[in-house]
Amino acid sequence: VPNLNWAGGTSRPRFFQIRGIGEREQYEGAPNPSVGFLIDDIDFSGIGMAATLFDVKQIEVLRGPQGTRYGANALAGLIAVRTNDPEQQAHFGVEGTIGDYNTRSLGAYATAPIESLNSAWRFSVQQYRSDGFRSNSYLQRKDTDGRDELTGRFKWLWQLSNATTLNFTLLHADLDNAYDSWSIDNSRVSLSDKPGKDAMRATGAALRLDSKLTDELMLTVIGTGVNTDSEHSYDGDWGNTQSWQNLMRDWSIQNGVAGNDWQSFVYDYVYHADRDRDTRSLDVRLASDYGDDTVSWLLGVYALNLREQIHEVSQGEYQDPVAYAYFSSTDDFLDSRYDATNVAAYGQLDGRFASRWKWSVGLRGERRTADYEDRRESFSSFLDALSASQDENMWGGQASLGVDISDDKNIYLAVSRGYKAGGFNLGYSAQAKPDFKQESLLNYELGLKGNALSGRVYFDTALFYEKRHNMQVLNSTQVVPGDPNSFVFFTDNVGGGYNAGVESSLRVSVSSAVELGGALGLLRTRTDVYQQDDGAMVQAREQDNAPEYTASVYGVWRSSSGLMARVDVIAKDNFYYSSAPSTQQSDAYTLTNFKIGYERSGWSAYFWIRNAFDKDYVVRAFEFGNEPPDFTDALYIQHGEPQQVGVTGSWKF
């Protein structure tokens, strides 16, 4: 997908950026992501770990502001995952994978009709395990950054009448993943004595009713709910008693400090957060179906309630009898509650004139109320309790004009306005800045899409310019020098900026056996000059996690005998890791994936290599002071996945 990026810092990706806009980690303000994320209509925005890929039908990525045709609002875009539906023919299948790093997975599905109820069901389940790509030399373990993921799904499709269908989805995901992704020397070998976790248990359901009330009127009602319990913890100092004492021994020798005081040096911090989130949504849409020659319309109301409770523990001890005779300890407990309700009304009109011309206009109005409070059972001097409320009105909309230049080609021009609510910086981040303002965005887009050569070639290209006002940016600070757990991220506002670029996709059926394709995204971004709270001026520059190009090419060969081969090459430009004033950037990189296999109607087998040339690349980085005794700012990186080899087989019965 051109101009789609993601940020690491977790066990699996769940923070995405579309056209350079989106969140980068979970410490970033109250839950209100710029990129919406739905799994079978269930809202997992910002917590998309549950989107494992077994038995998935398709993934849609809608770029630019959304909210006048679908219920969920999204400033940057929307990612919608759709899984396979129940089928009227009974069958079942299994899929297994074995790979290096002790990777193994087993999945199964079954589907069948219930003729007496004019319905059908589908059940799927998959277990995935891997030791991960890092090792812990202190604990002599290779699984402190591993994954243990169980995903189950049940779907029921009931044809109530010729005009009405009811879809029910029940999803359960238990992702008990470890988290030990950082090391002082930026290697894949960690020294932590208290490796953490990045785990989530989610249970969600969706009920969707589609009913054709009359020949010209369609009603859609979607109700969803999901509860997620997540844990994110890590070793705050990334080391152990022995490693830090060895470091201070070397420091003493280099600085001519006599004695063995380094043997009493203690640097030991740990962070743990438990989050309990409940999300409920209701979307009711009424749409006309008059055909292509008459104006059609859609009206909808949408409500979303999100409640989240967080229990954070930040503990640590620092005893430095060697360099500065400094001693401190932290034992902080933070309990916070967040409750936000969004209610929106939206509508859209679509029509045609002069045969080949078509137009569309839409409008959305939304009101949001949010409350936040926290309390400390035990706190350090730099922590103050916080209680805040916020009410705000927001609006967005779109207008577009298109023309069919031929039966299979279309040009369009669109203008849309998106918005993102303001909010609070939660927990420790509130000590840096308690709240931030609403952001708005104007998107101008010109596009061309269509087919050529009797459908053998598909292409689409879009040029866009997005002007941002009151742009929300990520900032960071270390509240207490020497305490790595007090390094916090917080959301702030700057006057504005822009995101502009080009997005193109191409797919070519060279022959019945060969298909080629690719995608290219070009992106230019800017953040206006702004002044930080300490008075320092930050100069205009590119936005973070916004590479100037993303590109991919692929080729697939399938013979009539069942043999197949595929190659994918994916390239990404460099980008800033964090917001100004940090100047650290990633390196551009290119990854290559291969797959060869054999496919028959009832079974298939593949041998695959991901990151075939074992390219070393970085998916997340932070710059702060974490090494005693001077705690000089340094860049710490999280590596992407190295080369991995495996085999996958599937059988359908």
Side-chain angles (χ1 to χ4, degrees):
V1 178
N3 287 328
L4 174 67
N5 197 19
W6 59 276
T10 52
S11 63
R12 61 159 46 243
R14 63 175 181 265
F15 301 107
F16 301 91
Q17 302 84 47
I18 295 177
R19 296 177 174 177
I21 303 174
E23 283 62 48
R24 288 159 295 283
E25 27 67 350
Q26 59 200 328
Y27 317 101
E28 196 168 334
N32 181 33
S34 299
V35 177
F37 198 99
L38 307 179
I39 305 175
D40 287 329
D41 295 319
I42 305 172
D43 196 320
F44 280 90
S45 300
I47 51 173
M49 284 177 67
T52 55
L53 294 181
F54 179 70
D55 206 33
V56 164
K57 179 181 179 181
Q58 68 179 34
I59 301 176
E60 291 181 276
V61 180
L62 307 177
R63 301 183 290 252
Q66 306 296 319
T68 63
R69 180 171 289 276
Y70 301 100
N73 171 69
L75 177 75
L78 183 72
I79 300 173
V81 179
R82 295 286 179 186
T83 61
N84 287 311
D85 290 323
E87 300 177 44
Q88 293 299 323
Q89 182 179 0
H91 65 275
F92 65 94
V94 294
E95 179 184 281
T97 294
I98 298 176
D100 49 10
Y101 300 98
N102 201 23
T103 298
R104 64 272 190 207
S105 72
L106 182 63
Y109 74 88
T111 183
I114 307 176
E115 295 181 0
S116 60
L117 291 176
N118 198 24
S119 64
W121 59 269
R122 188 182 191 97
F123 175 75
S124 63
V125 62
Q126 185 196 41
Q127 177 78 61
Y128 172 88
R129 290 190 173 100
S130 176
D131 287 347
F133 308 100
R134 300 175 60 88
S135 61
N136 186 307
S137 62
Y138 177 72
L139 298 177
Q140 295 296 303
R141 289 171 54 187
K142 295 184 178 181
D143 62 348
T144 58
D145 205 42
R147 297 182 187 177
D148 185 355
E149 303 177 341
L150 174 68
T151 307
R153 188 180 299 108
F154 175 77
K155 302 186 77 172
W156 183 42
L157 174 61
W158 187 11
Q159 189 73 42
L160 293 169
S161 68
N162 291 334
T164 304
T165 59
L166 187 69
N167 284 272
F168 173 73
T169 301
L170 178 65
L171 182 152
H172 179 74
D174 188 357
L175 312 177
D176 190 19
N177 293 349
Y179 186 63
D180 191 22
S181 299
W182 304 90
S183 58
I184 289 294
D185 63 356
N186 287 327
S187 71
R188 295 186 188 274
V189 180
S190 66
L191 297 171
S192 57
D193 56 356
K194 299 181 181 70
K197 298 187 73 174
D198 187 44
M200 183 178 76
R201 179 175 294 175
T203 302
L207 189 64
R208 177 178 181 132
L209 176 74
D210 292 285
S211 180
K212 198 163 187 178
L213 302 179
T214 69
D215 289 341
E216 300 173 342
L217 201 60
M218 174 67 73
L219 172 68
T220 300
V221 181
I222 305 172
T224 75
V226 60
N227 171 260
T228 59
D229 292 319
S230 61
E231 174 187 342
H232 187 75
S233 59
Y234 53 82
D235 189 320
D237 60 275
W238 304 348
N240 57 78
T241 299
Q242 179 181 339
S243 66
W244 292 123
Q245 288 182 353
N246 289 343
L247 181 145
M248 291 308 299
R249 178 198 59 199
D250 296 341
W251 186 93
S252 299
I253 295 174
Q254 294 172 3
N255 289 272
V257 178
N260 296 321
D261 286 346
W262 56 269
Q263 295 180 348
S264 300
F265 183 85
V266 177
Y267 179 40
D268 189 15
Y269 285 81
V270 65
Y271 172 85
H272 183 109
D274 290 312
R275 294 177 178 234
D276 184 1
R277 178 185 292 192
D278 287 291
T279 304
R280 304 288 184 269
S281 70
L282 178 64
D283 185 19
V284 181
R285 302 197 290 261
L286 198 62
S288 66
D289 186 11
Y290 296 141
D292 291 338
D293 298 328
T294 311
V295 173
S296 59
W297 54 267
L298 177 146
L299 293 174
V301 291
Y302 176 78
L304 173 71
N305 177 254
L306 187 153
R307 298 181 180 182
E308 184 175 77
Q309 300 181 46
I310 307 176
H311 177 67
E312 293 180 88
V313 179
S314 178
Q315 295 175 306
E317 184 177 6
Y318 185 66
Q319 298 182 17
D320 176 14
V322 182
Y324 299 108
Y326 179 78
F327 305 89
S328 70
S329 64
T330 60
D331 195 12
D332 300 316
F333 300 84
L334 172 68
D335 287 300
S336 64
R337 296 175 181 270
Y338 174 78
D339 189 340
T341 299
N342 296 55
V343 178
Y346 61 95
Q348 186 160 314
L349 292 174
D350 297 276
R352 283 185 174 271
F353 61 89
S355 178
R356 291 185 177 274
W357 291 81
K358 52 188 175 183
W359 57 269
S360 175
V361 293
L363 189 65
R364 180 187 182 95
E366 186 165 344
R367 179 164 179 82
R368 176 177 178 270
T369 60
D371 298 288
Y372 172 78
E373 64 177 0
D374 61 33
R375 64 183 179 86
R376 273 81 180 191
E377 298 175 6
S378 174
F379 53 90
S380 301
S381 59
F382 73 95
L383 294 174
D384 298 313
L386 176 66
S387 178
S389 296
Q390 190 176 65
D391 297 307
E392 56 185 335
N393 297 316
M394 300 166 286
W395 70 273
Q398 64 88 20
S400 65
L401 182 65
V403 57
D404 296 327
I405 57 178
S406 67
D407 291 339
D408 54 9
K409 298 179 183 64
N410 172 265
I411 294 178
Y412 69 90
L413 176 65
V415 180
S416 57
R417 185 184 194 273
Y419 58 83
K420 182 182 178 184
F424 323 108
N425 287 302
L426 307 185
Y428 299 106
S429 300
Q431 310 308 313
K433 189 174 182 64
D435 53 25
F436 49 91
K437 300 176 183 177
Q438 177 187 148
E439 176 182 353
S440 62
L441 177 151
L442 275 176
N443 177 68
Y444 305 90
E445 190 163 330
L446 175 66
L448 169 68
K449 61 178 63 177
N451 299 296
L453 299 179
S454 302
R456 292 171 56 190
V457 176
Y458 168 80
F459 60 89
D460 66 72
T461 297
L463 290 78
F464 65 91
Y465 177 84
E466 298 179 331
K467 180 64 177 175
R468 306 175 66 180
H469 177 66
N470 267 348
M471 185 169 70
Q472 295 176 10
V473 298
L474 181 66
N475 213 329
S476 62
T477 187
Q478 191 159 330
V479 180
V480 178
D483 178 2
N485 285 345
S486 72
F487 181 79
V488 297
F489 298 90
F490 60 94
T491 302
D492 203 351
N493 294 95
V494 302
Y498 70 83
N499 299 56
V502 180
E503 296 162 343
S504 297
S505 298
L506 178 68
R507 184 174 64 248
V508 181
S509 296
V510 179
S511 67
S512 60
V514 178
E515 178 179 292
L516 303 176
L520 175 65
L522 303 177
L523 182 65
R524 293 299 301 270
T525 65
R526 213 57 155 183
T527 301
D528 290 348
V529 177
Y530 68 96
Q531 186 174 22
Q532 292 183 307
D533 290 343
D534 61 5
M537 297 300 298
V538 178
Q539 299 302 311
R541 66 164 223 189
E542 298 172 9
Q543 297 166 23
D544 51 320
N545 273 71
E548 290 194 352
Y549 67 79
T550 54
S552 65
V553 294
Y554 74 89
V556 182
W557 168 75
R558 283 185 168 90
S559 74
S560 58
S561 66
L563 291 173
M564 65 82 61
R566 177 177 179 125
V567 58
D568 290 83
V569 180
I570 304 159
K572 187 176 295 185
D573 193 19
N574 64 331
F575 54 84
Y576 285 103
Y577 289 125
S578 301
S579 298
S582 173
T583 59
Q584 300 284 359
Q585 296 189 60
S586 69
D587 292 327
Y589 63 85
T590 301
L591 305 179
T592 305
N593 306 322
F594 293 107
K595 180 167 74 172
I596 59 174
Y598 189 73
E599 301 172 332
R600 303 305 294 174
S601 59
W603 63 275
S604 61
Y606 306 100
F607 169 78
W608 46 263
I609 306 177
R610 289 203 290 267
N611 191 3
F613 301 110
D614 202 21
K615 175 67 176 179
D616 190 20
Y617 63 104
V618 180
V619 298
R620 194 72 174 109
F622 301 114
E623 186 179 7
F624 70 109
N626 197 41
E627 298 176 58
D630 299 318
F631 294 97
T632 303
D633 284 351
L635 181 71
Y636 301 106
I637 63 175
Q638 180 186 358
H639 295 271
E641 296 182 358
Q643 181 192 84
Q644 187 179 21
V645 178
V647 293
T648 297
S650 64
W651 297 265
K652 179 181 176 181
F653 304 90

